[in-house]
Each structure stands twice: as C-alpha cells, then as structure tokens.
C-alpha cells in the first residue's frame, strides 16, 4: 500500500520595516487609490510570510502601469530604496528573497538606472561590515545577487572593485579568526563554512563577471583588479596547501586555484602544460610567469602532498574545457598525466574520505575523456581504447574497488566501468560491438567470475546495456537460473535483482523491436518467469523471500500482463501442491504473487475473487498455512493495497478475524513484527477510507458521486468498520488472560497500540472507532497485570497503551486500587528479584501521570510539601515525579546507611539497585531541559550525585576485587564477621563451583537488629516494614552479593550518565541555567575513570561505559572550552599511565585489560566524525608504538594493554571507516606479537588478530570454511593494504627458512598459522590483470617449501 506523505507547510518568515521606512511610505501612500507606496505599506503590516509573497507579486503590474516620466518621481525612488534594504535584510533561504528577485527581474528598462542606484547604495553599506561573524550574511547576499538576478548583478558590476576588496579581506580575516580559535571545534566549523562560502563567491564573481576582469587585466599589472586577482590566487593556493582546513575547503580551493589561473594566464594554450608541470613535479620555474611564482611559490617549489595533488586534479578536470579536444595536444597530454597521477594516488590514499574523493574524481576523469574524444584525435584514441595501458589500469582499479566497504566508492567504480565501456564504444564506432575482441574478452572474464562477487552484477549490467541481453544469453542460457539461485543470500539479492531487471527489460526491448512481435511473450516467459515460479514453489525460505521482495515487483512492473500467466500456472497446481513447513508450494507462490501484484496496483482483489481466479477457501488455507511466510503473504494480500483509501470489504474483515484467531501465538519474532506491521496498514486504510465515506455521506444529495458505486451505503460500511474493530479488540483483550504466553501478549498489545494510535481523536475529524470506549475496569486491570511479565518489551507496550488511554484509565481507578498499586510498586522496588524493580519502575511511571497521586498515595509516605501545591494545573507529572524521586531517594539513602554496616544483609533483604533503577526510570519521563521547579531539582540532582558516590563506595570493593564472582566481603560488625569466617573457608578456590549455588545461612537475632534499624529510621522511611520482622534466617550466596553489587554499579552509571545530559550545551554566564554544575560534571568524569580503570567485573565496567559515553557525547557538544578539552586531557593521562608501567599502578592487566579499552573507546568515539579525527590518530600512534615488540622491553604489561585497546577500537562500529587506514599496522603488530615468549602478549595478539580478520573480511555467517563469501582477491586485498605485501612476504620467508633449517627436530614458527590464515582467505581472480605489481606469484614458492 502506498501511503502518501502529507505535504509540509512551507514556513516563510515575514519581514518588517523600521519606523523611519514606515513613515516614508505613509507620506507617499494615498487612501483613495492604490499606489506602490500603499502596497508596500500594506505588505509590511502583514505578519504572514505567505501573504507577503502574494503582495510582492502585485508590485510589478503596478510599476509597469507607470509611465516613463515617473522615473523622476520621489515616491518611486523611496520605494526602490526600501525594496533594496528589504532584499539585503532577508535571509538567503527565505522564499521571500527569491520572489522579490524574480519580481524585480521584470522591472521596465526606464526604471533600471534608478533601481541600480538604490541597490548600489544598499550593497555599499553591506560591504562596510567589519565583524567576521557577520561576513556570512554579506557573502550570502553577494551570492544571491549573482544568481539569476539582473539588478543584483548590475549592482556588483558597478561596485566590482569594492566587492573584490571585501572578498580579499574576508578570506584573510576568517583565516586569522580560525587560527585564533584553534581547538574550539564548534566555532571553527562555523568559520570553515564561512570560508568555504567566501571562496565560492569569489569563484562566482570570476565566472559570471569575466568581462569586468578582461578589460584592464592583462594590459596593466599595476591595476587594482590585477592585484586583487593575484591576492585571491595566493589565498586559494594557501588554502589548498593548508592540511588543517576541512577537506571541502581544500577541494573548493583546488577548483578556485585553477579557475583564477585560467582567468589570468596567457597564452591560454600553455595553461595545460603549466598544470601538467605542477602535477608531475617538474618545477620548470623558468617557463612560469613571475607573478605566478610569486603568488603560488609553495605549489611551484615544494613537494606536493597526495591530498593537494588530488584536489589539483579535481580542479583541472572541473574547471578546464575538455569538450571536443578544444585544448589541443597539450590538453590530451594533461588528461593522460591526470590519469597517471590519480592511479598512483589510489595506492596511497586509504583514508575513507580521501578514497571516496579519489573514486569520484576518477569518474569525473572518465567523463572528461569521453568529452575530449573527437574523430581527428588518433593519438588519444590509441591511448584510450580498451586494450590500452591507461584503461587497463582503470579496469584494475574497478576490480579492486567494486567490493569496497564504502558504498560511495562501489557506486563510483560502477560509473567508471560504464564510462570506460562507453569510451571504447566511441572509439570503435564503425565496427560491430559483438565481434570486438575487447568486449568478448571482458564478457568471458566476467562470466567466469563466481556469483558471490558483488562487482560482477553491476559490471554485467553495464555490458548488457552495451551488447544486449541476447548476446550474453547465447554464451550461457542458464544465467537467469544461476542468478535466481544466488538470491538466497540477502547481501547479494539486491545486486542480483538489479542485474535481472536490466537483463529482462533489455530483452523485452530487443524482442519488441524485432520482427517476431506476436510470439515473443512466450519465449520471454520461458526465460524469465518459468524459473521464477519453479523456485517460488520449491525454493527454500530465504531464497523465496528475497525473490518476492526484490525481483517479483520489478518483473511485474516491466510486464504487468505476465500476472495472468502466473496465476493460471499456479492455480492449476495449487490444490495438488499445498506446500509444507519448509516449502511454499503452488498455494504459497500464488499468495506471494497476488500480494505483490495488489500492493503495486496491478490487480483488484474483488475482481479476481468475483471472476473465480482465487477462492475464499484458498485464502483461508494460506492464512493458516504451516509455512509462516505463506501466512504473512496471505495476510499481506488482505492488508496491502496500492490506494490507501480503498474500502475494506466484509469478506476481508471476516478473513482478518479468522487469521487473528490462529496466529497471535506465533513463536517467530519476525513473523509477529510483520503481522503487526500489516495490520497497521489495514487500520490506516480503514481510517483513510472512513474519511472518504464521511464525505460521501455529507454529499449524499449529489447523486453523481454514486454513479460509479451504486448500492453503496456509507453509513452501513462505517457501522461494519465499527463492528469489526470492536470484535477485533474483544479478541485481543481475551488473549491477554493471566498466564498467556509472551508471543500472544506481545502481538495483542502491539495491535491494540496501533488501534489506539491510528484511531486517536484528531481536531476536525470524525473517527470511525475509539478504543477508549471499549475500555472497562477489568480491561484496565488486565493491562496493569502485563507489567508483571518477565519480558520488558511487554511492559513497554502495556505502558505505552495505558499512556494513550490514560484519561479513561484513571477515571476507572478508585483511590484504594491506586494506593494498592503504589504500595506494590514500593515493595517491588526493593525485591531481590532483578526484574521486579523494572515492574516497579513502570508502575511508578504510570502512576506519576495521575493528578491526585500526591493526595491519595504520597501523603502517607512523605511529609506534606506546601510549596509544591501552589498551582495544581501546572506540571502534574513533574510534581509527582519530583515527589516520587524524593521518596525513593530518602529510602535508598537509609538503605545505603544500613548496607555500610552489613552488605550481606543488604544483598539478602533490600538490594539498593531497584530504588536507583526506579529513580532513573522516573527521570526518563521528564523533559529534562524544560523543567518548572528548577530550585527543587537542583537540590535533588546534588543529592542524587552524592547518593551515587556513596552507593558506589559500598559495592565497589566487590566488583573491583581480583575475583568478584566468588567474593563475600568482611563486614564491620564483629559478630557478623565471625559468622562469615566459616563461609569464607567454604568458598576457597576448589575444583568445583558448587559454592555458587549453595546458600549460606546467616542466623540473625532479628529483634535486636530490628530495634537498631528502627532507631535510625526517619519518619518517611519504609525499609524495615518491607524487610519483614518475622524472618529469622537470611539466605545469601556469593552470587546474590555479586548481583546486588554489579547491578547497583550499573544503575549508578546509567543515572550519572542521565544527569550529565542536564549540562547546558551553550556556555551561559548564568550558573542557574543548568541543573548540574561544571564541577559536578568533572567529578562524575573522575568517578567513571576510577571505576572503568579498576572494576574487574565485566557487567560493571560495560555499564559504566554506557554512562561514560553519555558524558563524553555531552562534553563534545559543549561550548565551554575547558569542558570540551576534558576528553583529550583524560585520554593523554591514561595513555601516559599505560606507558609508564608503574609497579604501583592499579590498572588491571588480566581480563583483557578489563575496563581500560572501554574507557579509551568512549573518549575516542566521542570525537566528531566529520573532523580530522586527531584524537584517534594520536591514540593509534601511541598504541602502535607500545604494541610493537621492542628489543628490550622493561615490562610486557604496556604491550598487553595496547593490544587489548587496539582490539576494542578495531571492533567499534562507531569508528567505521575511520579506523581502516590503521588495519595494516594492526595486522603487523598482531603477527609480531605472536612471536613473543610471554603468553599474555601472545594471547592478546591472537584476540587482536581475530578482530582484524573480522574487520577486513566481514562477519562469518556460514559454516563452510572454503566459502568465498568472507574472502577477497589478492589484488583487492593488497591494493587496500599495500604495506602488508612486503611484510607478509618477508614473514613467510622467515617461516619457510625456519622449517628448512638443518636441525633434526622440526621447528614450526609461531606466526605460521596466522600467515596461512590470511593467505588462505585470498584467491586469484580472472580479472587480475598485467598492470598490478601486487601479484600473488611470489608467495607460491614459500608456501610450497
């Protein structure tokens, strides 16, 4: 079903005039008739931007009605001045600006001089701006003036020198301001974008106003324009060479450099030679003009970096005119030189952004080469035909990059391949493509590749476009079946379906343009449809699913008439071939075809049912089929339609109810998700069609609306909709009985949630159904009971549904039941069962939305707070949550006090993590940056932070002990310590782990203890009541203590992470703006550092990491420099600590360095991804130096830490492609580390090596060790990691020499296995050409030895 998005309303900011302008207009406006002044005055008084646009469009007709003599009219002069001031005051993106420019483009010629004068005055004022941060507005205005705005362009022409002067000043000022803000990323990013805009405006000026330069430019090198152009050229070359700038600024500077040089250089024919000299580094300074050397000295004399060469190539390709060989032989030489430079850079530039730019520029090169080819350039034709060296190397680039991890690189590789084929076609224009040896060889090579190579599909599609499908099929008729067989792999299915679409579409065009127009369809069906139907009936689940998702819609779009052929074939065998749990059979295939066809608008269900093509019984069989996907397809057939307003028939509603009866309890999560998604589409269709029916009912008198649909009764259909939805809800609520299974509850709650959301009451719309009218107290009870489910997703769905229905839900709850719920929530929040506190959290969050919660429940628990109830209408939820958090905080503070005396008692009777979890859950319900009771919250936040530290201090000895899983700590109480002595003896390390399960009995003299507890208990505390005074025995296992401790650490970490978000991102002078102070944030950072560095328990440090990530992300967005630089300072400190290898260091060297990799991971990953990633570079450099084995290591511990941290960084998905340039160094460190005599280093090296293999070759999904899915060709591997070629070869030689040594006993080198593992994942490819130096041949003799 196609759901059309509602069009967004365009927001237009209205402009306003100042008092002086308004007075001027009022003086000229006339009450009796509308003139220009009165129209402008009316326009300025409107507050709606859209209305102002309509008003501005009326200006030109009025002006055109004025005669030529009006040019001297002061009213016209005043109005034009006001229009000019308005134009320059408007934001660039405001539609009003474009409308005003468009209107003024129609100004009569006799008024142009006056208008230009007015605009020149305004522009002159703009150019006087001196504040660097206001330059952007002036630059935007200059850009707007040059874009299709005659008046603006004329104004710039008049002020050409002033504009040039402003641009020079702007470029220098912005660059200087950028330097002075070094380290302030937010300000620097803004300045970089301003700089980028200034360069673009300078380029526009030169491109669009060339004639202004040409006149005086060459004749007099002393002229102001020439000097200005020299300064612009100097700035662009400086920016091009400045590696600290953003890559986009450097790229644009490359374009500007070539453009300015082109405008200034004479003779123009020599320009390609100059660019060639710069690119090839020949540095022929004598042949270069003095002015060029003076302004671009660095480019002429220094060794250019790879990135500068790349951007120069881009500039030359984009800014020089390549069409039809207009630059002659020098141009042809430059074209080939650029190709040579780009291909040499492809082995050097491995950083993701650079690799993407390189691929894009290579694609631009192929476009330029295509444009440069003309009939009388034989030299270029020889150099660019398919068998030439340049094209060979470019094809090699395509083959090594068509499976690159970056999508952009893969896409550009496809474009390069397509253009290379096009170049060869253009060169051999006269001959036949079919018989051409280059195309024949390429086709054979591509077809000999295995189908798991993704690049094969796009390349074959390009060949099909050149040669035609029939020529490919003549080589192998089984290609369509081969491709369909590949589609059981989701990673290949999209590529395969795109290739098939290209082939069958091309095949159809070939048939229809041929002579056999009547019989072609049968041949076409035999090739493309028959294999499809066979696989749909008998294929495995994945294959059929992907074919239906990716291939079938494309086939039907190409040939909708094929549907009747499919239905006829499948219907004939549907009764005999019903399918099984593993195959769809003909019935399943029929359902899939019908569903796809209906969803894409190729059929109407009512038509095929009335014509007897499909019976209701067949659909029913599909709805209860033993193959899950057949059920989903049958349901999809009923729910998905092409039109969102198509009326749901009675038969469809009956079939849906039939489906619900049998399928709510599906065990497969994906099937449940699909059921809910499809029913959601059905509900949307009911809602949309009901709106149409309401309109029909309103227009019932207009009989013409019913001519197409006689006997249709809108009210009758609406009543059926209501009955259907009511009946559906009855069944869903019945399914939520106590003890119902998790799948049933999940499905029922999800569907009810969709009903509540889709049929919610909207302003001005009648709703066909309202779920709140179906709710009664029993059903509310049923939903609340869902909170008791052990599955959190059920709790979430129940909570969301109750929130949607909260008005009616609370009206059905009496104060007694609310009180009981609150009591239950408080009891559960201190339960020893971990999932009980989650239930408590959802209950408290639910109750917090009740207006009278404080009167009904909280009054018993805490003292009445008169300040909170001054205004009952404001912030009900905030007041309730504040009160609930206060109560929980008081309780947890008391429990921490008791836990300090006896952690065993706490673990057994009142584990504190439940309270903290409820506090965290309550905070999630609030708009944390828009609170009303700021003073109260500040106090609460301070108390929460202190409570977190105290709780952490109590439980951290357990999670930081060297063996947290078996530790029960000693208590301060001497009697408890005596009782523990026996337990500690029992849990000494043994061969078995039975003590984990055996409870230790602690007899408590409970009355004395209870009295002691009562003494400490404040009025509002409830700890002891919940513990129960009767219990004489408290069961504690080591596991219970550990669970209590690490869950407490988890909740504290998440709470502190949430509190960090309260830090305002903008640095404000008012300390009251944030609920949390900078000092508190620094302390929280120190807390996380302490625990990540010292926790031994994985659960504890993983969750401390989750909280720490929230903190680092908040800091990276801060405006305060001291806060923003904290991650870098922390990172440098920890790297120093790792390097120092101090014997007194508390860093954990076992457990894969415990929390240290997590700490560094969080700090590095918080860095903005679009910057230079300096923290990552610095960290990797330090770690690589530590990870590489040194000749005399003082200690192996820093090396172990470095290897473990590198492993974590290479596994971190957030670093994405930014980590790839360091993979080769990582592999070298891992292989060399494997030769270490120290076991810990070898162990860490193995783990790092494993992470790198996964990072390079992808996650292994199958069991077949010889599968080529997680492998790559040698050429591709070594082109991506060129430094590994000599390293692996040398290591292999060392290994081979060790094995061949004269000693009698056989010695196996430690790194042999790792080397063979890597080489075993590489394989030769038919596409490996003769142009790559990275051949696999040198490895073979060593492997044979």
């Amino acid at each position: 079903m196609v759901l059309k998005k509602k069009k967004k309303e365009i927001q237009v900011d209205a402009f306003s005039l100042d008092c002086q302008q308004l007075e001027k207009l009022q003086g000229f406006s006339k009450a009796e008739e509308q003139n220009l002044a009165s129209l402008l005055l009316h326009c300025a008084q409107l507050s709606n931007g859209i209305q102002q646009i309509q008003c501005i469009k009326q200006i030109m007709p009025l002006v055109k009605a004025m005669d030529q003599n009006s040019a001297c009219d002061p009213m016209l002069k005043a109005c034009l001045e006001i229009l000019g001031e308005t134009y320059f005051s408007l934001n660039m993106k405001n539609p009003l600006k474009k409308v005003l420019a468009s209107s003024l483009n129609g100004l009569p010629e006799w008024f142009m001089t006056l208008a230009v004068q007015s605009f020149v005055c305004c522009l002159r004022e703009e150019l006087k701006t001196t504040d660097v941060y206001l330059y952007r507005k002036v630059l935007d205005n200059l850009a707007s003036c040059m874009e299709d705005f005659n008046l603006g362009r004329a104004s710039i022409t008049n002020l050409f020198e002033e504009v040039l002067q402003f641009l020079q000043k702007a470029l220098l000022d912005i660059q200087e301001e950028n330097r002075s803000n070094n380290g302030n990323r937010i300000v620097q990013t803004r300045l970089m974008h301003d700089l980028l805009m200034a360069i673009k405006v300078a380029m526009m000026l030169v491109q669009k106003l060339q004639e202004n330069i040409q006149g005086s430019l060459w004749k007099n090198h002393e002229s102001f324009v020439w000097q200005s152009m020299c300064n612009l050229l100097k700035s662009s070359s400086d920016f091009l060479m400045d590696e600290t700038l953003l890559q986009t600024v450097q790229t644009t500077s490359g374009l500007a450099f070539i453009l300015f040089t082109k405008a200034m250089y004479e003779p123009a024919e020599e320009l390609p030679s100059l660019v060639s000299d710069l690119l090839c580094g020949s540095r022929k300074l004598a042949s270069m003009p003095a002015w060029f050397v003076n302004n671009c000295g660095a480019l002429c004399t220094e060794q250019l970096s790879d990135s500068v060469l790349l951007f120069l190539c881009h500039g030359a390709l984009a800014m020089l005119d390549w069409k039809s060989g207009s630059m002659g032989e020098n141009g042809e030489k430059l074209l080939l030189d650029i190709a040579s430079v780009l291909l040499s850079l492809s082995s050097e530039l491995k950083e993701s952004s650079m690799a993407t730019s390189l691929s894009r520029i290579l694609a631009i090169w192929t476009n330029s080469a295509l444009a440069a080819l003309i009939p009388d350039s034989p030299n270029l034709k020889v150099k660019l035909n398919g068998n030439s060296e340049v094209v060979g190397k470019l094809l090699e680039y395509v083959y090594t990059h068509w499976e690159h991890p970056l999508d952009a690189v893969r896409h550009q590789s496809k474009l390069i391949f397509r253009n290379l084929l096009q170049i060869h076609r253009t060169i051999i224009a006269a001959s036949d493509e079919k018989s051409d040896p280059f195309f024949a060889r390429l086709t054979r090579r591509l077809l000999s590749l295995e189908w798991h190579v993704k690049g094969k599909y796009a390349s074959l599609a390009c060949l099909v476009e050149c040669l035609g499908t029939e020529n490919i099929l003549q080589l192998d008729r089984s290609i369509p079946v081969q491709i369909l067989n590949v589609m059981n792999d989701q990673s290949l299915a999209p590529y395969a379906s795109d290739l098939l679409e290209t082939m069958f579409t091309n095949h159809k065009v070939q048939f229809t343009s041929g002579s056999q127009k009547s019989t072609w369809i049968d041949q076409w069906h035999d090739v493309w449809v028959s294999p499809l139907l066979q696989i749909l009936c008998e294929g495995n689940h994945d294959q059929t699913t992907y074919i239906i998702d990716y291939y079938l819609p494309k086939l039907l779009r190409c040939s909708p008439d094929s549907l009747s052929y499919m239905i006829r074939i499948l219907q004939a065998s549907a009764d005999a071939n019903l399918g099984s749990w593993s195959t769809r059979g003909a019935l399943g295939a029929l359902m899939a075809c019908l569903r796809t066809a209906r969803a894409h608008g190729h059929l109407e269900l009512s038509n095929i049912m009335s014509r007897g093509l499909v019976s209701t019984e067949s659909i029913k069989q599909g709805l209860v089929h033993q193959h899950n996907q057949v059920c989903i397809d049958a349901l999809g057939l009923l729910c998905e339609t092409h039109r969102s307003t198509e009326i749901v028939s009675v038969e469809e509603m009956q079939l849906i109810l039939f489906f619900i009866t049998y399928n709510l309890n599906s065990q497969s999560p994906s099937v449940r998700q699909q059921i809910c998604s499809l029913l959601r589409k059905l509900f949307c269709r009911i809602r949309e069609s009901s709106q149409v029916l309401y309109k029909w009912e309103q227009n019932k008198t207009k009989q013409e609306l019913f001519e197409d649909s006689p006997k249709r009764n809108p009210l009758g259909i609406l009543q059926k909709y209501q009955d259907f939805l009511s009946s559906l809800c009855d069944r869903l609520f019945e399914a939520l009985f106590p003890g119902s299974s998790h799948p049933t509850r999940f499905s029922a709650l999800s569907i009810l949630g969709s009903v509540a959301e889709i049929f919610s009451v909207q302003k001005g719309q009648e709703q066909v159904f309202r779920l709140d009218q179906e709710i009664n107290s029993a059903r509310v009870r049923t939903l609340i009971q869902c909170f008791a489910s052990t599955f959190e997703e059920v709790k979430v769905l129940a909570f969301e549904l109750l929130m949607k229905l909260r008005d009616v839900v609370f009206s059905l709850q009496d104060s007694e039941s609310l009180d009981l719920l609150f009591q239950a929530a408080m009891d559960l929040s201190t339960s020893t069962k971990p999932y009980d506190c989650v239930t408590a959290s959802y209950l408290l969050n639910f109750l917090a939305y009740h207006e009278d919660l404080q009167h009904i429940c909280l009054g018993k628990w805490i003292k009445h707070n008169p300040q909170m109830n001054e205004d009952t209408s404001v912030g009900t939820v905030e007041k309730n949550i504040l009160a609930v958090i206060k109560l929980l905080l008081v309780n947890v503070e008391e429990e921490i006090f008791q836990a300090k005396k006896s952690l065993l008692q706490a673990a057994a009777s009142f584990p504190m993590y439940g309270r903290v979890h409820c506090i965290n859950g309550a905070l999630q319900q609030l708009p944390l940056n828009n609170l009303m009771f700021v003073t109260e919250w500040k106090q609460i936040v301070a108390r929460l932070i202190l409570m977190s530290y105290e709780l952490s201090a109590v439980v951290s000895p357990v999670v930081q002990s060297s063996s947290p899983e078996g530790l029960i700590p000693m208590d301060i109480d001497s009697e408890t310590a005596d009782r523990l002595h026996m337990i500690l003896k029992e849990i000494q390390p043994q061969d078995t782990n039975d003590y984990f399960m055996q409870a230790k009995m602690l007899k408590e003299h409970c009355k004395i203890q209870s009295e002691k507890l009562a003494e400490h208990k404040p009025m509002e505390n409830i700890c002891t009541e919940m513990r129960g005074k009767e219990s004489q025995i408290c069961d504690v296992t080591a596991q219970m203590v550990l669970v209590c401790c690490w869950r407490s650490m988890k909740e504290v970490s998440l709470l502190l992470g949430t509190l960090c978000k309260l830090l305002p991102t903008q640095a404000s002078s008012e300390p009251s703006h944030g609920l949390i102070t900078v000092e508190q944030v620094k302390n929280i950072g120190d807390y996380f550092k302490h625990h990540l560095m010292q926790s031994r328990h994985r659960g504890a440090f993983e969750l401390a990491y989750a909280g720490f990530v929230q903190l680092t992300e908040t800091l990276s967005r801060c405006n305060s420099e001291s806060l923003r630089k904290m991650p870098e300072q922390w990172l440098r400190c920890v790297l120093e600590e790792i390097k120092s290898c101090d014997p007194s260091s508390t860093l954990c060297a076992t457990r894969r360095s415990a929390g240290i990799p997590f700490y560094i991971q969080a700090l590095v990953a918080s860095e903005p991804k679009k910057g230079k990633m300096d923290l990552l570079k610095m960290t990797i450099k330090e770690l690589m130096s530590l990870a590489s084995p040194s000749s005399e290591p003082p200690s192996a511990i820093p090396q172990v830490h470095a290897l473990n941290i590198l492993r974590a960084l290479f596994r971190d998905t957030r670093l994405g492609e930014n980590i790839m340039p360091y993979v080769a160094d990582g592999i070298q460190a891992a292989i060399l580390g494997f030769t270490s005599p120290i076991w810990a280093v070898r162990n860490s090296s193995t783990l790092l090596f494993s992470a790198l293999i996964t990072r390079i070759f992808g996650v292994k999904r199958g069991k077949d060790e010889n599968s080529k899915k997680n492998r790559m060709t040698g050429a591709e591997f070594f082109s991506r990691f060129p430094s590994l070629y000599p390293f692996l070869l040398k290591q292999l030689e060392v290994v081979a020499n060790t094995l061949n040594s004269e000693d009698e006993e056989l010695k196996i080198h430690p790194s042999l296995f790792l080397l063979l593992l890597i080489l075993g994942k590489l394989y030769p490819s038919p596409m490996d050409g003769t142009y790559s130096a990275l051949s696999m041949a040198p490895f073979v003799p060593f492997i044979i030895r």
Side-chain angles (χ1 to χ4, degrees), residues 799 803 841-842 844-846 848-849 877-878 881 919-928:
F799 177 71
M803 285 299 98
S841 177
Y842 281 100
L844 288 172
N845 291 349
F846 164 63
Y849 285 83
V877 179
E878 187 183 334
I881 286 179
I919 291 172
N920 214 350
L923 284 173
Q924 305 297 334
Q925 299 301 307
L926 289 175
L928 291 174

Side-chain angles (χ1 to χ4, degrees), residues 1196-1252:
I1197 291 175
Q1199 190 180 356
V1200 171
H1201 283 316
L1203 292 165
N1204 288 332
I1205 295 163
L1206 283 170
R1207 171 177 176 260
L1209 293 177
F1210 283 117
R1211 292 179 69 190
D1212 193 339
T1213 52
R1214 290 171 305 163
L1215 294 173
E1217 286 303 308
N1218 291 314
I1219 199 81
M1220 288 308 283
Y1222 311 106
V1223 162
D1225 293 337
I1227 287 278
Q1228 292 182 35
I1231 290 175
L1232 293 173
F1234 207 65
T1235 60
S1236 169
I1238 299 161
W1239 179 86
V1241 175
R1242 292 199 304 276
N1243 182 45
S1244 295
S1245 299
T1246 313
L1247 293 168
L1248 171 60
F1249 185 80
S1250 169
L1252 285 164

Side-chain angles (χ1 to χ4, degrees), residues 1003-1021:
K1003 293 184 180 177
E1004 298 286 351
H1005 34 336
C1006 224
K1007 288 179 186 173
I1008 302 165
Q1009 281 296 97
S1010 298
E1011 285 163 18
K1012 281 184 184 175
L1013 292 176
E1015 287 169 23
H1016 291 289
K1017 183 187 136 187
M1019 286 298 290
E1020 54 268 45
N1021 189 26

Side-chain angles (χ1 to χ4, degrees), residues 317 322-325 335 362-375 377 380-381 384 415-427:
L317 290 170
W322 299 99
K323 283 182 185 168
S324 309
L335 189 70
L362 274 172
I364 296 171
W365 184 90
T366 55
N367 285 324
S368 301
L370 255 178
L373 278 173
I374 50 170
S377 56
L380 200 59
K381 285 187 175 180
L384 293 183
L415 292 180
I416 294 166
F417 187 79
R418 178 177 283 148
N419 284 344
L420 290 175
L421 297 186
Q422 204 58 44
I423 287 169
H424 189 72
R425 274 181 83 181
T426 308
I427 290 171

Side-chain angles (χ1 to χ4, degrees), residues 1110-1123:
Q1110 292 178 312
L1111 171 62
T1112 53
E1113 286 174 353
T1114 305
L1115 292 177
S1116 68
R1117 291 194 298 270
C1118 271
N1119 235 349
S1120 159
E1121 192 167 352
S1122 62
L1123 284 175

